[in-house]
Amino acid sequence: MPDRIAKVANRLKVMPIRSPRALIAVAGPPASGKSTFAAQLVAHLNQSTHSAVLVPMDGFHLDNSVLARRGLLARKGAPETFDVDGLVSAMWRLATEQHLYLPCFDRGQDRSVAGRIEVNSQHTLAVIEGNYLLCRDAPWNHLRPLWSMSVFLNEPNHVLFDRLVQRWLDNKHDLREAQARAQNNDMANVAFVRRSLDPSVDLVFGSEVEIQQGA
């Protein structure tokens, strides 16, 4: 992980920074390590010459009540369970406005919370992390022009599956249910993320075999 952080940071040193801030997208399949990587990148940048803010895409989850009405609650985390138009609009604001507030996802409450992330004029970099940020399919592809840099994290399927099962076990599911959720929902999202990856991504870390196969 430190080598990957250093590689991104070194690229940023020679990259022109947009005003008021540059947006760096960190994408990858579920359980690929995006959240950890993005948080460590922001911490590293804040210790150097830039002031950075972390913006998780999960803040744009549709509410459980909306998902239930649409019959999508069991598919929470799939592309169709996000407010994509709201995300695109917010990212345009993030790229052009000095000061704004953005939502985050509260895992304890299992819902999005408005206005929890404050972005100000001192933040010259924003690191956005999420599964579908580098998807070439509409409407996700409306995000692509906003990224000053894009990073894709990947791991082999067996590593992702084991991590996903453990995630569900940590959320008080028994082993059979954890494996079912990981296989039936999460791994379908893994396949979609790889299949829809924009080929113009700047940096890819991890296994590239599954990406090439669209697995």
Side-chain angles (χ1 to χ4, degrees), residues 132-138 140-141 194-199:
Y132 310 114
L133 299 177
L134 301 180
C135 175
R136 64 174 178 261
D137 297 350
W140 297 96
N141 60 354
R194 292 197 182 118
R195 178 196 65 75
S196 64
L197 178 63
D198 188 321

Side-chain angles (χ1 to χ4, degrees), residues 165 169 173-180:
V165 170
L169 290 173
H173 294 81
D174 63 38
L175 180 59
R176 180 177 295 182
E177 186 177 11
Q179 291 174 332

Side-chain angles (χ1 to χ4, degrees), residues 99-112:
H99 187 263
L100 69 157
Y101 297 93
L102 295 169
C104 76
F105 189 76
D106 188 313
R107 294 197 178 278
Q109 301 181 57
D110 194 31
R111 68 182 184 90
S112 298

Side-chain angles (χ1 to χ4, degrees), residues 38-110:
Q40 291 182 359
L41 177 60
V42 167
H44 178 87
L45 293 171
N46 282 330
Q47 292 173 356
S48 60
T49 57
H50 294 291
S51 179
V53 61
L54 178 62
V55 181
M57 189 192 84
D58 281 353
F60 294 87
H61 269 293
L62 293 173
D63 190 76
N64 286 347
S65 61
V66 175
L67 297 178
R69 288 197 300 271
R70 297 183 178 184
L72 291 172
L73 191 55
R75 288 286 289 136
K76 189 169 185 176
E80 61 270 25
T81 65
F82 288 88
D83 175 15
V84 188
D85 292 336
L87 173 64
V88 172
S89 177
M91 293 304 98
W92 276 100
R93 292 187 61 203
L94 184 60
T96 58
E97 296 183 16
Q98 295 280 358
H99 187 263
L100 69 157
Y101 297 93
L102 295 169
C104 76
F105 189 76
D106 188 313
R107 294 197 178 278
Q109 301 181 57
D110 194 31

